[in-house]
């Protein structure tokens, strides 16, 4: 059974930091890109960051570039998102996702390139 489980969310003050983790099982995740997406209340889901299968390629949305770092540990089947200098507009449910078979050498931002998703972890940034 393929499963992605996020953790590390919580309530943090603006300017603070959080490290989100995603534990994967049921698949050889080292073969696929991994991504983080988020959905704020009343808004559509949006791309945050992605990392290629080997970790050599990363890609960030403009609003988090310079404040976020995506990384992965293929030995542990895990992916991480370090978020610094958090802003109230970062408040959202954060989802990790595993890419399809075409994503090995890429860090795609399109949600349709990901075929497995976690349940999400809530991040709330207070002003």
């Amino acid at each position: 059974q393929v499963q992605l489980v996020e953790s590390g969310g919580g309530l943090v003050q603006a300017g603070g930091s959080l490290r989100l983790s995603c534990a994967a099982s049921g698949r050889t995740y080292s073969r696929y890109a991994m991504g983080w997406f988020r959905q704020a209340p009343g808004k559509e889901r949006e791309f945050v960051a992605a990392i290629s299968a080997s970790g050599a390629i990363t890609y960030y949305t403009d609003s988090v570039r310079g404040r976020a770092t995506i990384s992965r540990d293929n030995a542990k089947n895990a992916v991480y998102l370090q978020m610094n200098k958090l802003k109230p507009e970062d408040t959202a449910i954060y989802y990790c996702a595993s890419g399809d078979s075409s994503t090995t050498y890429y860090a795609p931002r399109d949600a349709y390139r990901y075929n497995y998703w976690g349940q999400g972890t809530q991040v709330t940034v207070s002003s």
Side-chain angles (χ1 to χ4, degrees):
Q1 180 181 358
V2 177
Q3 192 172 19
L4 298 171
V5 180
E6 303 93 338
S7 62
L11 175 63
V12 63
Q13 288 188 331
S17 298
L18 280 177
R19 188 192 193 212
L20 306 183
S21 300
C22 175
S25 61
R27 193 188 193 203
T28 307
Y29 285 93
S30 60
R31 298 178 181 175
Y32 312 105
M34 297 291 290
W36 285 95
F37 292 76
R38 67 186 180 186
Q39 187 167 19
K43 295 186 177 181
E44 294 186 353
R45 180 178 56 189
E46 66 171 352
F47 169 79
V48 178
I51 188 166
S52 63
S54 69
I57 300 171
T58 58
Y59 187 63
Y60 300 90
T61 193
D62 288 345
S63 62
V64 306
R65 188 173 291 117
R67 301 190 295 120
T69 303
I70 188 171
S71 61
R72 66 189 296 162
D73 184 339
N74 285 339
K76 296 182 178 179
N77 271 352
V79 64
Y80 309 98
L81 182 68
Q82 176 71 41
M83 294 281 292
N84 301 321
K85 299 180 181 179
L86 283 160
K87 304 176 181 180
E89 51 263 44
D90 294 318
T91 295
I93 299 174
Y94 283 70
Y95 300 91
C96 75
S98 180
D100 65 25
S101 58
S102 71
T103 64
T104 301
Y105 303 108
Y106 304 96
R109 65 177 299 151
D110 301 301
Y112 74 86
R113 302 288 296 276
Y114 297 85
N115 52 3
Y116 294 103
W117 295 79
Q119 293 299 307
T121 185
Q122 176 71 48
V123 172
T124 303
V125 184
S126 63
S127 57

